[in-house]
Amino acid sequence: ITDGLRDGDVVGVAVQQSDLPMIQFLVNGEPYHELAINRFRGTVYPSIQLPPLSPESRITAELVFEEEDFQEESPHARFGPVIVARGII
């Protein structure tokens, strides 16, 4: 996904937590279907990996978790805010 990214681009991650959970990636609000993850299991933790750069280069990332601060809308109504996993007793 890093190929072709430019300064100021927004990479979004949408997580659908339902019976058929999925993760979808977006670049500037457009779905990046090649990286969609369908029907995953287990706990998911938010994380990023930044590519190695030369010492004189610089890369930054800003993580936004509050929905009111998002620059783009959710790709579909079924993608809602992340909810805390709870065990069934």
Side-chain angles (χ1 to χ4, degrees):
I1 196 168
T2 58
D3 295 340
L5 288 179
R6 293 184 169 65
D7 186 33
D9 281 349
V10 174
V11 177
V13 181
V15 179
Q16 176 186 346
Q17 297 171 282
S18 67
D19 293 340
L20 299 172
M22 71 178 293
I23 299 173
Q24 186 175 32
F25 296 89
L26 304 102
V27 177
N28 297 322
E30 295 297 319
Y32 200 84
H33 297 290
E34 295 83 8
L35 291 179
I37 301 169
N38 295 307
R39 298 183 178 142
F40 65 88
R41 289 183 159 205
T43 306
V44 177
Y45 297 96
S47 64
I48 63 170
Q49 178 180 349
L50 301 175
L53 299 171
S54 63
E56 57 275 349
S57 297
R58 181 182 143 138
I59 189 168
T60 61
E62 179 182 354
L63 305 178
V64 180
F65 293 100
E66 297 297 327
E67 194 170 9
E68 62 268 7
D69 296 330
F70 290 174
Q71 289 187 14
E72 301 287 342
E73 292 285 326
S74 175
H76 193 278
R78 65 183 180 213
F79 291 88
V82 175
I83 57 174
V84 176
R86 297 174 191 226
I88 298 175
I89 298 177

